[in-house]
Amino acid sequence: VSPTASPESASEQRELKQHVAAALADLPEPQRLALILRHYEGMSFEEIARLTGTPASTLKSRFAAALNFLRVRLRHLDPTEEHRP
Amino acid sequence: MNCTEVRENLPALAYGELAATIRGAVESHLVSCLACRQELAAMERIRGALDTIVAPSVQIDVPRLFQDAAARQARRVRRWRRTALAVFGIAASLMLALLLRLQVRVEANQLTIRWAGVSIEEKNHAATPVERVVAPRDPAELAALEERVRFLDELLHALITDVGDRDDRQTERVARLRVRVEELLGQNSRRLSETERNVAAVVTALSHVPGKGEKP
């Protein structure tokens, strides 16, 4: 965020935050677990695998699925994303 | 490497977790494949969007996960201990069987060593019916045997007690570690909320200071 951010971009930012939080809440539990532990807790896939007893490959797939879910949910906010049917 | 394989590895690549051996192949594919590059770029945008919030309002119970992991480890240890005890039990039974079936008899002019009633001496006379000795007749021999069985029994009990003690010590250690982990997690969340308060305070302070060009 640039220091000279306009009020519009600040409100856009707020809107994005709300959408991200809502999309995270709607994620299926296993995907949310993989995403939050990897992205917010900064744990590696191997560490999460040891902690949850789930194979790292499964966690990576769940993580990718979670990102795809968010991508679809946040598509309308991303001008670079193509609007596919 | 094809597009499917590359895309499976993109999350690990994005977080710098990809092993050097695979990373080369993924990166060289990305150079030549526009679709996969776009996929990575989309992933990066989503990560950027995730970064707009500090921590999600949906919390994960990390201490519970650690507890579950500790419980799984404890189950593995218990399984291993049961196997070890079973193996030891079988070994002890075999030794006991060996002691009971091996018969040594000293007679007037000969020494007979028998294994399960078949003596070495009798092997030379195959036609002769096998004389079966069920138990040693000599009371002294019987007493010696009983003594040996008692010794083995005591040994077994001592070993079981030792394994139990080790288990208790291990359990205590795990409990101490768990407490420590919970302390650290508590500290972490305290620090986070403190930082959040500080940031909020700074933001509030900054929003009240009028800019240089602004009129009061």
Side-chain angles (χ1 to χ4, degrees):
Chain A
V1 180
S2 70
T4 53
S6 64
E8 281 141 74
S9 75
S11 79
E12 274 171 19
Q13 193 76 358
R14 245 199 322 279
E15 195 192 354
L16 179 61
K17 278 185 193 181
Q18 280 166 3
H19 277 93
V20 169
L24 279 174
D26 287 346
L27 270 176
E29 179 68 33
Q31 293 181 15
R32 187 164 63 227
L33 186 80
L35 185 102
I36 290 178
L37 292 182
R38 173 57 270 195
H39 191 83
Y40 293 102
E41 299 287 335
M43 293 173 77
S44 73
F45 287 113
E46 291 299 331
E47 283 169 335
I48 305 169
R50 278 199 295 279
L51 183 65
T52 59
T54 311
S57 55
T58 309
L59 290 166
K60 284 177 197 168
S61 312
R62 284 180 190 168
F63 181 88
L67 286 194
N68 273 329
F69 179 91
L70 295 175
R71 190 171 162 186
V72 172
R73 283 285 299 264
L74 305 174
R75 183 179 283 166
H76 63 288
L77 299 172
D78 188 350
T80 55
E81 188 80 58
E82 291 175 29
H83 286 258
R84 274 170 266 180
Chain B
M1 213 178 240
N2 61 33
C3 290
T4 314
E5 289 167 324
V6 166
R7 286 177 196 200
E8 277 168 12
N9 285 303
L10 288 183
L13 179 75
Y15 287 94
E17 269 190 51
L18 211 54
T21 45
I22 315 170
R23 202 174 60 230
V26 172
E27 281 171 350
S28 66
H29 176 95
L30 284 171
V31 170
S32 61
C33 179
L34 176 67
C36 285
R37 272 207 306 280
Q38 283 173 341
E39 190 68 22
L40 181 64
M43 189 178 277
E44 292 298 345
R45 282 197 298 279
I46 296 298
R47 288 178 61 204
L50 287 173
D51 284 335
T52 58
I53 57 175
V54 182
S57 52
V58 187
Q59 288 297 326
I60 296 286
D61 192 354
V62 179
R64 208 202 65 212
L65 285 174
F66 275 108
Q67 276 165 12
D68 290 350
R72 271 200 305 281
Q73 178 65 20
R75 273 202 297 279
R76 267 202 294 276
V77 169
R78 273 203 298 278
R79 264 205 300 278
W80 179 86
R81 199 182 316 118
R82 271 203 295 275
T83 313
L85 270 177
V87 169
F88 181 78
I90 290 166
S93 324
L94 281 174
M95 256 176 98
L96 216 63
L98 187 96
L99 281 171
L100 287 172
R101 287 173 75 101
L102 191 70
Q103 294 157 5
V104 182
R105 198 147 49 101
V106 187
E107 283 163 5
N109 296 319
Q110 66 176 17
L111 170 74
T112 313
I113 300 171
R114 284 170 188 270
W115 169 250
V118 181
S119 74
I120 295 160
E121 177 206 11
E122 278 160 359
K123 275 185 186 167
N124 298 329
H125 313 283
T128 324
V130 176
E131 185 200 348
R132 295 201 172 274
V133 178
V134 175
R137 290 163 196 168
D138 190 357
E141 209 176 314
L142 202 63
L145 204 59
E146 273 175 2
E147 183 56 40
R148 254 188 272 180
V149 170
R150 239 195 326 276
F151 169 72
L152 276 174
D153 191 45
E154 277 167 17
L155 187 68
L156 184 65
H157 277 95
L159 280 167
I160 289 171
T161 314
D162 181 54
V163 169
D165 288 349
R166 276 164 199 266
D167 179 41
D168 290 346
R169 282 201 296 276
Q170 203 66 25
T171 311
E172 271 173 35
R173 212 172 298 159
V174 167
R176 276 202 302 276
L177 278 175
R178 195 177 296 168
V179 169
R180 181 79 190 120
V181 164
E182 275 165 19
E183 265 174 29
L184 284 174
L185 284 167
Q187 270 175 22
N188 220 9
S189 67
R190 273 199 300 280
R191 266 184 221 151
L192 181 65
S193 51
E194 203 175 304
T195 310
E196 277 173 348
R197 272 202 305 278
N198 289 344
V199 169
V202 169
V203 169
T204 317
L206 284 177
S207 65
H208 290 315
V209 175
K212 276 180 190 172
E214 271 179 56
K215 283 172 190 172

